[in-house]
Amino acid sequence: QGSVDCPNLEFEYGDADGHGAELAELYSYTEEPELSHNRRCFEEDFHTQVPDRRWLELDGAQQKAYVMRLLDGLEVVNRDKRLRVARAILYLAQGVFGDCNNEGDVLHWSRHNSFLLYQLGTFSAFLELLNMEIENSQACSSALRKPAISLADSTELRVLLSVMYLMVENIRVEQETDPPEWKTCRETFRTELSFPVHTEEPFALLLFTMVTKFCSGHAPHFPMKKVLLLLWKVLLFTLGGFEALQAMKVRRREELGLPPLPEDSIQVVRGMRAASPPTYGIELMEQQQQQQQQQQKRGHRSRRPLMKQDSLDIYNERDPFKNDEGGVDEEENDDVDSGIEGELDLMERDAIIPAMPAQCLPIERVSFPKGLPWAPKVRQKDIEHFLEASRNKFIGFTLGQDTETLIGLPRPIHESVKTLKQHKYVSISDVQIKNEEELEKCPMSLGEEEVQETPCEVLYRAMLYNLPQYMIALLKILLAAAPTSKAKTDSINILADVLPEEMPITVLQSMKLGIDVNRHKEIIVKSISALLLLLLKHFKLNHIYQFEYVSQHLVFANCIPLILKFFNQNIMSYITAKNSISVLDYPHCTVCELPELTAESLEAGDNNQFCWRNLFSCINLLRILNKLTKWKHSRTMMLVVFKSAPILKRALKVKQAMMQLYVLKLLKIQTKYLGRQWRKSNMKTMSAIYQKVRHRMNDDWAYGNDIDARPWDFQAEECTLRANIEAFNSRRYDKPQDSEFAPVDNCLQSVLGQRLELPEDFHYSYELWLEREVFSQPIRWEELLHCQ
């Protein structure tokens, strides 16, 4: 699609899609027959226990009594009986759709039953079953032996994960009509998931372990889509979404005595309007040719060689009196020669404008902006750099980090410093880095650091030692699910929980499976992008070095080229993809008669102008890329080296303000490295950056005179960062090993009298150890004398 044809996308970014849509994405279309199987398992048991009644007719006490009977059934040894009971419980969590008349009722009863199941301890029971199923070596070995894995290999896991997902998602979502006991229930569940009581690790860690086990090839039958969706929702529930993050940030700034935030970034972005994207040279030529053909049919030709392109400047609406300078020379086409020019001389312009019909002349004049969307920010470092340059110029020497002494500097410099200080912004990260430096310098005098036991802190501590493996595993799955990835023999198979036992034999079945596979991959991309962004944002707020640790491992695992590879596709067709069959979506398929599927009904999809999950994924990936590269010159150079500018420019075709903002941010940080010619050829993009992206007072992004951009500093930057992260991790989390400041016991008797716990196998090999380490080693008395 050309950029001119792309409509404005009415998309509201949030933590997740609508409640019904999020539940629907749990199931693949090949799983649809299992819905009726679950219903059968429930009804066969229910009618023997409560004859001639429906679930909706039972009162609260009767429903509780029946659920307790079902939970007892989970204790049996027979695997098939356990699975039938688990399916009956899943049917309850799915909203007893057999008794419902419409989708709203199904969703209502799904929530009601989820709270009921949680109150009776169902989640804990299913957690035990999940642990058993993960450790089931028989299922793993049989899956490894199979040439092709299908839905049948993950049946038990899928049922367990589905129940847990429905409980987490239904309890997580708040509604105004919720009774008070549900609110209490929600807080208890959140605490249970965040702070484990019986086990040593939070629930999210078990899911991370499943991801790494799957990626290592030991458990290829794990239903990865369900695991990732559940992991994302557990993190969203326990850590909090974007609005909760903003509130936490405001609170933390108050606690640290920092001034309040200049604005709420979520609200600013929501208030932005999308800009018309830059048009490429080829598109302009095509448009011009079409225009000329139409005019020839009407019997006259235009003398104008090229059509004026839409400006990215949202304030300069088309105005016939505005100076029409250079059409395409401002926006180069990255693959085609950009020498096409569309200038009109004065005579031609005079000739064309009067010829316009009177009613075509626009009535409104140019509406200028009232102000830029963001308050400018200045770092302490920026003020220091400015004063250093000024003192060198006017005095001939510098005063280090002193930002108060202005003696000898001219009046305008005093005014500049005053303005810079007015807009000075100290982030929570700056305070944390400063505190860390002080703790490293004076460990004795400052004593123990008080670490707040937040869900985020508990999660980081649990993830710490295997964190690199978790990040690599997530990126491996993201690579396998990306639409630009070619199928390779060594790539992991992420389709285990979507492929049916019997492969399709008709064209219709093949079409349905094709849509299902594409949808499956899109949902995986959505969940990974959302959970990575959540982790990065929460760790950054909790402690900057936790964020840097995750970021560095993502960068080492090639996250930057992977995201660029993802965007190196026709992004408009990805965002408008219709990989869904609305009649087969839950809960619609449970209460409506399914029409006979035809090729037309499969291709119809929904009527939305874009796919919510794909646009959500794109914005998340752009935000992750921004987080990884912000203020990191070495990583910004990676964007330049991987030729990200043309890829990102193509992403500007999507007329959605939030997505455009994050693309422009990524273009802004690398403009100084792209050369003067690029900046000259992309003035409309530069103009859009000026209008939409936050300003840093003395940032030379548009000129390339940056003091920090020395190429020889790049490697040292990452090494210094890594050293700081390791110092932080060892100081805060390696306490038993860190004995540098521990008191030393100098008494020989007490040292020798200590009882040491020796490992069990040491008792068996003790004599061998004595022989090898003591008796067979000659004692070198001379060395002992030298040591004296």
Side-chain angles (χ1 to χ4, degrees):
Q1 275 192 345
S3 58
V4 175
D5 302 327
C6 171
N8 279 312
L9 304 183
E10 298 297 323
F11 169 81
E12 189 163 322
Y13 184 78
D15 293 321
D17 202 349
H19 187 53
E22 290 295 338
L23 296 187
E25 287 180 355
L26 179 64
Y27 314 103
S28 54
Y29 298 140
T30 41
E31 281 181 281
E32 188 209 336
E34 294 189 19
L35 290 167
S36 51
H37 189 182
N38 299 339
R39 180 180 174 180
R40 252 191 332 272
C41 290
F42 172 81
E43 287 179 349
E44 283 169 14
D45 183 78
F46 186 71
H47 292 317
T48 56
Q49 302 286 346
V50 193
D52 305 326
R53 298 287 294 278
R54 293 164 66 215
W55 174 260
L56 311 189
E57 294 166 0
L58 302 185
D59 61 26
Q62 290 169 321
Q63 287 181 347
K64 282 181 182 177
Y66 178 69
V67 171
M68 291 304 285
R69 265 204 298 273
L70 276 181
L71 291 174
D72 289 341
L74 289 177
E75 305 290 329
V76 297
V77 178
N78 185 310
R79 192 178 168 81
D80 291 336
K81 284 183 181 173
R82 271 209 315 268
L83 179 60
R84 290 183 70 78
V85 173
R87 281 192 179 283
I89 292 173
L90 175 55
Y91 175 69
L92 281 174
Q94 285 170 338
V96 287
F97 48 81
D99 297 350
C100 297
N101 300 320
N102 57 51
E103 294 176 37
D105 285 351
V106 177
L107 293 175
H108 166 77
W109 282 103
S110 178
R111 288 194 83 221
H112 175 275
N113 293 345
S114 294
F115 277 98
L116 176 70
L117 289 168
Y118 172 68
Q119 286 162 347
L120 299 175
T122 311
F123 194 85
S124 309
F126 271 73
L127 184 53
E128 285 177 29
L129 290 173
L130 182 63
N131 273 309
M132 278 168 52
E133 211 47 58
I134 291 168
E135 299 303 322
N136 185 349
S137 53
Q138 189 184 346
C140 292
S141 55
S142 71
L144 286 166
R145 284 196 301 271
K146 284 191 174 183
I149 300 171
S150 68
L151 273 174
D153 297 291
S154 59
T155 305
E156 285 88 352
L157 276 168
R158 282 186 296 105
V159 170
L160 298 176
L161 289 165
S162 295
V163 171
M164 295 170 104
Y165 178 86
L166 287 166
M167 287 175 72
V168 169
E169 182 61 4
N170 280 318
I171 295 173
R172 180 189 74 81
V173 174
E174 295 181 43
Q175 289 183 4
E176 289 177 8
T177 53
D178 290 353
E181 61 267 23
W182 281 16
K183 290 176 182 171
T184 316
C185 202
R186 181 177 297 116
E187 289 311 310
T188 315
F189 192 24
R190 182 186 278 127
T191 309
E192 185 185 314
L193 290 173
S194 311
F195 305 104
V197 183
H198 307 298
T199 55
E200 290 299 312
E201 58 190 32
F203 177 56
L205 202 76
L206 177 70
L207 300 172
F208 271 118
T209 313
M210 286 183 79
V211 173
T212 47
K213 201 171 176 184
F214 171 80
C215 282
S216 64
H218 297 310
H221 65 298
F222 280 3
M224 232 347 82
K225 183 188 85 174
K226 285 184 168 51
V227 172
L228 290 166
L229 278 172
L230 179 55
L231 176 55
W232 166 39
K233 290 304 167 65
V234 166
L235 292 177
L236 188 56
F237 187 28
T238 55
L239 303 181
F242 300 130
E243 288 187 9
L245 257 165
Q246 187 75 5
M248 284 156 69
K249 196 173 179 181
V250 169
R251 201 162 55 246
R252 281 298 288 279
R253 288 184 70 82
E254 277 177 22
E255 288 166 10
L256 294 170
L258 295 172
L261 289 166
E263 70 271 294
D264 182 343
S265 52
I266 297 173
Q267 297 307 323
V268 174
V269 174
R270 279 183 185 161
M272 277 187 174
R273 285 171 56 200
S276 302
T279 317
Y280 284 72
I282 287 178
E283 291 168 2
L284 283 168
M285 288 174 72
E286 285 172 358
Q287 289 165 19
Q288 180 61 24
Q289 284 166 2
Q290 286 170 7
Q291 190 186 38
Q292 284 177 355
Q293 284 167 7
Q294 287 167 1
Q295 286 174 344
Q296 279 172 351
K297 284 174 189 171
R298 289 199 297 266
H300 63 86
R301 286 189 65 200
S302 164
R303 294 162 60 200
R304 186 175 179 173
L306 199 65
M307 193 177 93
K308 176 82 172 78
Q309 71 180 57
D310 276 3
S311 170
L312 255 169
D313 181 348
I314 58 170
Y315 304 108
N316 295 337
E317 306 296 349
R318 278 197 205 85
D319 184 359
F321 307 108
K322 188 171 174 256
N323 189 12
D324 251 359
E325 299 184 276
V328 194
D329 62 335
E330 292 190 5
E331 290 294 336
E332 64 164 349
N333 176 19
D334 299 278
D335 307 312
V336 181
D337 177 33
S338 59
I340 310 163
E341 293 192 7
E343 290 193 349
L344 289 165
D345 63 27
L346 206 58
M347 283 171 64
E348 285 178 322
R349 194 178 297 120
D350 289 339
I352 288 171
I353 289 174
M356 288 174 69
Q359 65 268 29
C360 290
L361 283 169
I363 298 158
E364 72 274 7
R365 302 293 295 166
V366 181
S367 55
F368 289 103
K370 290 197 175 90
L372 295 166
W374 303 98
K377 282 182 181 177
V378 179
R379 296 180 297 167
Q380 176 70 15
K381 199 174 165 186
D382 297 331
I383 302 174
E384 287 167 13
H385 283 167
F386 176 74
L387 276 170
E388 187 179 4
S390 302
R391 284 174 184 141
N392 268 330
K393 183 177 177 182
F394 293 107
I395 307 172
F397 63 87
T398 59
L399 298 173
Q401 294 181 335
D402 182 351
T403 57
E404 301 304 318
T405 311
L406 301 176
I407 295 164
L409 296 173
R411 193 83 207 145
I413 300 293
H414 288 235
E415 293 295 325
S416 301
V417 172
K418 184 183 170 187
T419 308
L420 287 173
K421 284 183 177 176
Q422 273 176 354
H423 294 284
K424 181 179 163 186
Y425 175 77
V426 180
S427 67
I428 295 169
S429 305
D430 295 337
V431 177
Q432 289 169 341
I433 289 169
K434 197 175 176 187
N435 289 347
E436 197 57 33
E437 283 171 5
E438 287 171 4
L439 283 163
E440 283 292 327
K441 274 185 206 163
C442 323
M444 299 291 279
S445 58
L446 290 174
E448 276 294 305
E449 180 195 15
E450 278 188 37
V451 181
Q452 211 175 342
E453 196 74 345
T454 59
C456 192
E457 182 63 34
V458 172
L459 180 66
Y460 182 78
R461 200 166 53 233
M463 286 176 70
L464 180 61
Y465 295 106
N466 290 318
L467 198 138
Q469 288 90 309
Y470 299 147
M471 294 304 116
I472 289 166
L474 288 171
L475 293 183
K476 269 187 180 177
I477 298 170
L478 184 60
L479 176 64
T484 48
S485 292
K486 304 286 181 286
K488 291 180 185 170
T489 48
D490 59 341
S491 66
I492 48 177
N493 175 21
I494 53 168
L495 304 178
D497 52 333
V498 71
L499 296 176
E501 286 179 85
E502 295 171 5
M503 291 311 280
I505 46 173
T506 66
V507 175
L508 198 64
Q509 287 172 339
S510 300
M511 281 178 69
K512 181 183 162 187
L513 184 60
I515 291 171
D516 208 1
V517 165
N518 288 338
R519 174 178 177 266
H520 183 80
K521 287 181 175 180
E522 288 173 4
I523 294 167
I524 286 176
V525 171
K526 171 187 172 182
S527 53
I528 292 179
S529 65
L531 77 88
L532 279 177
L533 181 61
L534 265 182
L535 280 178
L536 288 170
K537 286 188 80 66
H538 276 282
F539 285 152
K540 188 172 185 185
L541 184 59
N542 200 49
H543 199 289
I544 183 64
Y545 284 136
Q546 294 178 351
F547 161 79
E548 295 292 7
Y549 189 51
V550 177
S551 301
Q552 205 162 55
H553 280 294
L554 284 172
V555 172
F556 292 162
N558 280 336
C559 185
I560 292 175
L562 169 54
I563 294 176
L564 292 174
K565 180 184 169 77
F566 178 89
F567 279 97
N568 195 16
Q569 59 169 314
N570 184 339
I571 209 72
M572 272 311 299
S573 63
Y574 183 71
I575 278 167
T576 54
K578 295 279 192 288
N579 287 316
S580 58
I581 307 165
S582 47
V583 291
L584 295 181
D585 280 337
Y586 169 91
H588 183 274
C589 64
T590 59
V591 288
C592 299
E593 281 293 319
L594 289 185
E596 192 173 339
L597 290 178
T598 61
E600 289 74 29
S601 66
L602 287 182
E603 285 176 346
D606 52 28
N607 297 321
N608 295 331
Q609 59 173 166
F610 60 91
C611 173
W612 197 96
R613 69 171 159 264
N614 289 356
L615 189 45
F616 178 70
S617 303
C618 287
I619 292 174
N620 288 340
L621 289 170
L622 287 167
R623 293 185 78 183
I624 291 166
L625 203 49
N626 267 294
K627 292 228 164 290
L628 296 181
T629 50
K630 192 177 181 182
W631 303 120
K632 304 283 189 306
H633 298 291
S634 53
R635 297 175 194 175
T636 305
M637 283 308 291
M638 286 176 80
L639 291 178
V640 178
V641 167
F642 290 121
K643 296 187 169 58
S644 67
I647 295 169
L648 292 168
K649 254 183 71 182
R650 279 198 294 274
L652 284 173
K653 286 186 176 186
V654 180
K655 285 179 81 173
Q656 203 283 321
M658 193 170 194
M659 183 160 165
Q660 285 184 345
L661 172 69
Y662 289 110
V663 171
L664 292 169
K665 277 186 171 190
L666 287 164
L667 285 168
K668 177 185 173 179
I669 59 173
Q670 53 179 319
T671 46
K672 62 169 80 78
Y673 305 111
L674 293 173
R676 188 178 170 192
Q677 186 55 45
W678 188 91
R679 295 196 290 272
K680 189 180 167 188
S681 306
N682 290 275
M683 283 313 292
K684 286 198 172 72
T685 305
M686 299 287 280
S687 170
I689 292 170
Y690 173 78
Q691 283 165 358
K692 289 191 178 297
V693 182
R694 186 192 302 280
H695 287 272
R696 299 274 169 178
M697 286 285 195
N698 45 359
D699 181 5
D700 274 355
W701 67 272
Y703 303 99
N705 305 325
D706 196 358
I707 245 174
D708 289 340
R710 301 188 191 109
W712 56 84
D713 284 343
F714 292 158
Q715 206 167 357
E717 187 183 52
E718 289 290 349
C719 292
T720 309
L721 181 60
R722 193 170 190 178
N724 290 339
I725 294 164
E726 284 173 1
F728 164 77
N729 282 336
S730 67
R731 183 188 63 73
R732 197 186 267 198
Y733 303 106
D734 292 353
K735 281 172 187 166
Q737 289 80 13
D738 188 13
S739 56
E740 193 180 342
F741 303 107
V744 179
D745 189 352
N746 291 316
C747 177
L748 189 65
Q749 277 183 320
S750 68
V751 171
L752 292 175
Q754 282 177 7
R755 286 193 62 80
L756 286 173
E757 288 293 326
L758 296 167
E760 200 174 331
D761 56 345
F762 184 75
H763 296 291
Y764 302 118
S765 57
Y766 177 61
E767 290 176 4
L768 186 68
W769 179 84
L770 269 178
E771 184 62 42
R772 192 178 66 236
E773 299 292 334
V774 181
F775 301 139
S776 62
Q777 295 290 333
I779 299 169
R780 298 185 179 85
W781 298 104
E782 300 83 4
E783 287 187 17
L784 280 172
L785 290 168
H786 288 313
C787 291
Q788 294 291 328

